[in-house]
Amino acid sequence: MGTAERLIASTQQLLWERGYVGTSPKMIQQHAGAGQGSMYHHFAGKPDLALQAIRRSAEELRSQAEEKFREPGPAYARIAAYMLREREALRGCRVGRLAHDPEVVASPILREPLAETFAYLRRRIEELLVEGRERGEFAEAMVAAEVAAALVAVVQGAYVLAQSAGSVEVFEQAVRGGLHLLAAYTA
Amino acid sequence: MGTAERLIASTQQLLWERGYVGTSPKMIQQHAGAGQGSMYHHFAGKPDLALQAIRRSAEELRSQAEEKFREPGPAYARIAAYMLREREALRGCRVGRLAHDPEVVASPILREPLAETFAYLRRRIEELLVEGRERGEFAEAMVAAEVAAALVAVVQGAYVLAQSAGSVEVFEQAVRGGLHLLAAYTA
DNA sequence: GTCTATATAGTGATAGAC
DNA sequence: GTCTATCACTATATAGAC
C-alpha cells in the first residue's frame, strides 16, 4: 500500500474513532507512519484528506449494505439482514458519527457524502418496503418513505444509545424493537 | 446571573453546537464574557465545567420529556407528544450529540449523564407502553422494552439524518414513520 | 473574584534541502 | 517523494498582582 493510500486508511480510522475536530494531521501522520512533508505532498491539507477518507468510508458502507439488500428472500428478511448486520456498536457508525461533527456539518463539501449515504439507504429500504407491500408482506396503508426513514434512524439512534450506555446490548435491543414493529405491520 | 452561572450556560450552548473536543476554554470565556482567571477560580478546569454543563442539559431534557409523558390521554398520544415535541432538528440533541464525542465517551464521569438520560427515556416509554398494552392500546405480544429502545433511537437517529441532509424535513419524516409503526401495532 | 503574565504542548501549514 | 526547520496561532492551564 502506497503512502497516499496509508494516509487515507489512517484518516478513515481516526475519523471513525475521533471525528474531524478530534483528529489532527499529526495523529494521522503518526498512525500512517508518514512525515509532514509526505502528507502535504499528496494532499492539499486536512480537509482534502478528510474528504477522500469520508468518501471512501461512505462507499464501503453502501457496498456492505447493498450486499444485504441484494440477498434472496422476502423484503422483511433483507431489511432485517441490513439492520442486524454484524456491527461493532461501540465504535459507532463511521458515516453517521460525522453528522455530529461541527466542522463536517458546517462544510457542504464534507457533508455531502453523509447526505448521499443516508439518501441512498432511505431510498433503497423504501424500494424494498414497496416491493414487500406489493407481495402482501406489509399492510397496504404503509407510508413507505416514512417507515424507511424511521428504520434507518433506528440503526443510527441505536449507536447513540449504545455509546451512551457503554454497552452493545442496547444497540441490539433497539434494532430488535424496530424489526418487531415492522414484522407486526401486516395486512 | 452570576459569572459561574454564565459560564455554565455558555458551556451548555457550546457543547450543544460543537461538542467537547470542539470547544475550548477560551471560546467559553469569550461567550460568557469572563476572563481566564475567573473561569479557573470557579471551576477546576474544562472537564469540571463541562460536567456541570452536561448534567444541567440532561436535567433540562428530562424535565421537558417528563412534561409530555405526564400529559393526560392514551399512552400512544403521550409518546407521540414526546417524539413530535418542537425540536430544532438541525441543532441536534444536546445530550445525544455528546455520544459521538471521543473524550466524553472515554470518560466514565462525563458519559454518566448520557447513560442516565437514555436509561430514563427508555424506562419511561416502556412504562407507558405497558400501561397502554394493559388498556388494549397495543397488541399483547408487544415486547415493551425493545420497542421503547427503538422509539428513543428513532428520535436520536432522526437528528443524525437531519444534520447529514442539512434539512429538518427528514427528522419529521423519520419520527412520523416510527409513530406510524407504533400506531399500527394494535390487537 | 477578576486581571494580566507566563508556560508547555499541540495545530495546521509553508519553505526549502535532499 | 520525503525530510527537517520554521511559523503564527491555539489549547489548557498556573502564578501572582490587584
Side-chain angles (χ1 to χ4, degrees):
Chain A
M1 194 162 47
T3 304
E5 287 298 313
R6 260 178 14 250
L7 282 163
I8 293 178
S10 293
T11 306
Q12 283 185 271
Q13 178 109 36
L14 286 163
L15 288 180
W16 193 350
E17 288 168 11
R18 303 192 42 88
Y20 184 85
V21 294
T23 300
S24 71
K26 189 178 207 170
M27 289 178 197
I28 295 170
Q29 292 150 23
Q30 288 177 341
H31 191 281
Q36 296 245 110
S38 201
M39 183 190 124
Y40 285 101
H41 170 76
H42 291 288
F43 303 95
K46 178 180 167 179
D48 178 35
L49 176 49
L51 178 59
Q52 313 226 23
I54 294 172
R55 282 188 177 148
R56 187 161 304 182
S57 291
E59 280 163 22
E60 289 169 5
L61 189 154
R62 283 201 300 275
S63 139
Q64 285 174 14
E66 191 60 32
E67 263 183 48
K68 302 300 178 182
F69 294 149
R70 283 197 197 287
E71 280 182 3
Y76 173 82
R78 291 146 78 187
I79 293 170
Y82 159 71
M83 293 180 71
L84 294 168
R85 192 190 90 203
E86 191 127 34
R87 294 167 196 266
E88 297 150 293
L90 290 183
R91 299 186 65 190
C93 172
R94 61 190 121 175
V95 175
R97 77 114 57 225
L98 298 172
H100 281 149
D101 192 294
E103 316 235 324
V104 170
V105 171
S107 158
I109 294 172
L110 293 180
R111 189 164 55 70
E112 201 264 348
L114 282 62
E116 195 187 335
T117 296
F118 290 117
Y120 157 80
L121 288 174
R122 292 199 291 131
R123 183 174 46 72
R124 209 62 187 76
I125 290 181
E126 182 184 350
E127 287 168 6
L128 289 175
L129 290 173
V130 168
E131 187 187 318
R133 188 177 58 195
E134 284 167 1
R135 293 187 184 171
E137 277 185 64
F138 309 118
E140 284 295 332
M142 173 179 275
V143 183
E146 292 183 0
V147 172
L151 293 174
V152 176
V154 164
V155 172
Q156 291 301 315
Y159 282 118
V160 170
L161 300 190
Q163 296 203 274
S164 295
S167 148
V168 294
E169 284 165 35
V170 192
F171 182 91
E172 285 158 15
Q173 210 175 3
V175 167
R176 281 199 306 270
L179 286 171
H180 187 59
L181 287 173
L182 179 63
Y185 197 104
T186 53
Chain B
M1 194 161 49
T3 303
E5 287 297 312
R6 266 188 356 262
L7 283 164
I8 291 178
S10 293
T11 306
Q12 285 186 269
Q13 178 108 36
L14 287 163
L15 288 181
W16 192 350
E17 288 169 10
R18 302 192 42 87
Y20 183 86
V21 294
T23 300
S24 70
K26 189 179 206 171
M27 289 178 196
I28 295 169
Q29 292 150 24
Q30 288 177 342
H31 191 279
Q36 295 246 108
S38 202
M39 184 191 124
Y40 286 100
H41 171 75
H42 292 288
F43 302 94
K46 181 180 167 180
D48 178 35
L49 177 48
L51 178 59
Q52 313 227 20
I54 294 172
R55 281 187 178 150
R56 188 162 303 183
S57 292
E59 279 164 23
E60 288 169 5
L61 189 154
R62 283 201 301 273
S63 140
Q64 286 175 13
E66 191 60 32
E67 263 183 47
K68 302 300 179 183
F69 295 149
R70 284 197 196 286
E71 279 181 3
Y76 173 82
R78 291 147 79 188
I79 292 170
Y82 158 71
M83 292 181 70
L84 294 168
R85 193 190 89 201
E86 192 127 35
R87 294 168 197 263
E88 297 150 293
L90 290 183
R91 298 186 65 193
C93 171
R94 60 189 122 176
V95 175
R97 77 114 59 228
L98 298 172
H100 281 150
D101 193 293
E103 315 236 323
V104 171
V105 170
S107 157
I109 293 171
L110 292 179
R111 190 164 54 72
E112 200 265 349
L114 282 63
E116 194 187 336
T117 296
F118 290 117
Y120 158 81
L121 287 173
R122 292 199 292 132
R123 183 174 46 72
R124 208 63 187 77
I125 289 181
E126 181 183 352
E127 287 168 6
L128 288 175
L129 290 173
V130 168
E131 188 187 317
R133 189 177 56 194
E134 283 167 1
R135 292 187 184 170
E137 277 186 65
F138 308 118
E140 284 295 332
M142 172 179 275
V143 184
E146 291 184 0
V147 172
L151 293 173
V152 174
V154 164
V155 172
Q156 292 302 313
Y159 282 118
V160 170
L161 300 189
Q163 295 204 276
S164 294
S167 148
V168 293
E169 285 165 35
V170 192
F171 181 92
E172 285 158 15
Q173 211 175 2
V175 167
R176 280 199 307 270
L179 286 171
H180 187 58
L181 287 172
L182 180 62
Y185 198 105
T186 52

